[in-house]
Amino acid sequence: MFTSQIKLSLAVVLAFLPGFLFAQGYDGLPRTFLWNPNFNEVVDTADFAGEAPYTIGFSNASQGDGWLGTFYHSVEYGVSQNLDKIGRFIVTDANGDPTKQISDIQDLLEQDTDLLLVNPATADALDPILGRTMRQGVPVVTVARRVESDTSFVSFITASDTALARMSATWMAETLDGSGRVVLLPGLAGASPAEMRLQAAKEVFAQFPGIEIVDTQYTGWSPANGRQIMAAIIQREGADNIDGVWADSGLQGSGSVEAFIGAGVTGADIPPHTGGDLNGMYQLAHENGFPFAGIDYTPSIGAASVHLAVDVLEGTPVPQRLDVNFQVVISPGDETRSISADVLLPDYVAVDRPGELIMGSGIPNYDPTNFSVELPN
């Protein structure tokens, strides 16, 4: 198992940051690595080394929203770039059900899987079986969502939920000059990205006594839920009594904006919003001109996880946590004391592309409607 570890060096970090992960805007090392006050560990994977071609099992939580669909395409893209090393790629989809995902993992392990790649449905439910998988000698790589115990995986690939949330919440608080009534719209209850983002955002807002949290509602990262939930809050509180909406993704954030428009609040009168990922959210902010900050939780982490999985099977040391770069997108004139734009909204929004497009896929000329790559037989 992985017991030999060394401190992470800058050279090792650079080795795990292929150029396709960088989107338009900031192209330096991930700030979540640079700002981390702790050391990352490098895991010695020599015990997992074997001869290619490898069999990789991918246990996916679901493809229940647009981001997850693009993330899955990114995983496939990463596999297509390693056809000389991956002989079998077996995929299961739990449809958001952790019980089914546990059963899926058991099935994958019965198929002589060399490595298990997992996007966990929930952190607590999946932790025990992944820990057992590691103890059985099958390496586990988690991506997008993590489980509770560091011993339950070799490496976790992320774009940093806490950094995303702290930056977007800080932007909101500073945009409101530290005073105002804010609605929080996190994603899926129980999913580690949503829970970590919500906790981090609350940490920030707690430092601004003038910020009042009007309501907190999970949305399942659904535009329809975001619209329905915000419409009810507007009806109860009154649109004029809501000064800002913090959404951890543009998926539900776009629904919130549509709810304000449906209530007769349009253009620059729409209160400040946060929420990246979804091109439609960027389009709404660009067209209406309200203050906006978006940070993409880049789905290119899918391809990055496949590259790292191959490294594990080749016995190459890997970081226990791999951070992938994200972009900070802000509407013109709305940068704050602490939060600057990597790229301004007009230079980032894809005005001629579908609103359903998820940004930051890392896939050249990506179109989700006709995406296709060669995969192992």
Side-chain angles (χ1 to χ4, degrees), residues 46-377:
D47 289 346
F48 301 128
E51 295 295 325
Y54 307 115
T55 296
I56 294 178
F58 175 40
S59 173
N60 196 12
S62 78
Q63 294 187 58
D65 60 50
W67 188 94
L68 285 168
T70 299
F71 162 76
Y72 178 65
H73 286 166
S74 178
V75 170
E76 290 189 315
Y77 179 63
V79 172
S80 73
Q81 294 179 306
N82 289 278
L83 291 177
D84 58 330
K85 299 174 182 177
I86 301 175
R88 296 176 66 208
F89 184 65
I90 312 168
V91 180
T92 61
D93 191 307
N95 197 27
D97 182 351
T99 301
K100 181 181 185 303
Q101 190 167 28
I102 292 170
S103 177
D104 289 343
I105 289 171
Q106 291 169 337
D107 290 341
L108 289 170
L109 293 175
E110 292 175 359
Q111 300 185 57
D112 296 324
T113 302
D114 295 313
L115 179 143
L116 190 63
L117 180 64
V118 186
N119 174 23
T122 62
D124 54 350
L126 273 294
D127 192 66
I129 190 170
L130 296 188
R132 289 196 298 272
T133 300
M134 288 288 295
R135 289 191 293 273
Q136 292 169 9
V138 177
V140 175
V141 172
T142 56
V143 56
R145 307 172 184 179
R146 62 163 290 156
V147 290
E148 294 177 340
S149 304
D150 289 349
T151 55
S152 294
F153 55 83
V154 174
S155 185
F156 169 53
I157 294 85
T158 180
S160 185
D161 297 295
T162 51
L164 180 157
R166 286 177 180 141
M167 294 181 74
S168 58
T170 298
W171 176 87
M172 177 64 70
E174 292 182 345
T175 295
L176 298 178
D177 293 325
S179 179
R181 306 181 81 240
V182 177
V183 173
L184 308 186
L185 297 180
L188 179 65
S192 64
E195 301 297 353
M196 293 171 70
R197 294 173 193 176
L198 179 59
Q199 180 180 345
K202 286 181 174 179
E203 287 178 355
V204 171
F205 289 128
Q207 299 180 51
F208 295 85
I211 296 290
E212 176 187 353
I213 305 302
V214 176
D215 202 349
T216 302
Q217 295 281 347
Y218 289 97
T219 62
W221 291 304
S222 162
N225 288 348
R227 181 171 57 251
Q228 181 179 6
I229 289 168
M230 183 52 65
I233 295 173
I234 290 172
Q235 185 175 22
R236 185 188 73 216
E237 301 289 338
D240 291 342
N241 293 319
I242 300 171
D243 299 310
V245 178
W246 177 88
D248 73 356
S249 170
L251 291 164
Q252 71 269 29
S254 63
S256 172
V257 174
E258 290 171 353
F260 278 97
I261 294 174
V265 182
T266 60
D269 292 332
I270 297 171
H273 273 67
T274 67
D277 303 326
L278 185 69
N279 189 40
M281 180 67 173
Y282 290 111
Q283 290 174 334
L284 285 167
H286 181 61
E287 293 164 2
N288 285 276
F290 57 85
F292 169 78
I295 302 177
D296 293 338
Y297 189 72
T298 169
S300 67
I301 59 178
S305 70
V306 176
H307 289 289
L308 185 140
V310 170
D311 285 337
V312 170
L313 293 172
E314 292 181 330
T316 302
V318 300
Q320 191 175 55
R321 173 187 169 114
L322 175 62
D323 281 292
V324 176
N325 183 51
F326 56 57
Q327 299 299 323
V328 179
V329 184
I330 300 178
S331 49
D334 294 318
E335 294 176 290
T336 68
R337 176 182 178 183
S338 302
I339 308 300
S340 299
D342 297 325
V343 56
L344 292 174
L345 176 61
D347 298 321
Y348 192 78
V349 60
V351 293
D352 297 327
R353 301 292 303 281
E356 295 77 16
L357 178 70
I358 300 296
M359 309 293 273
S361 70
I363 304 171
N365 304 313
Y366 176 65
D367 184 342
T369 63
N370 59 19
F371 173 77
S372 178
V373 290
E374 182 181 356
L375 296 173
N377 294 328

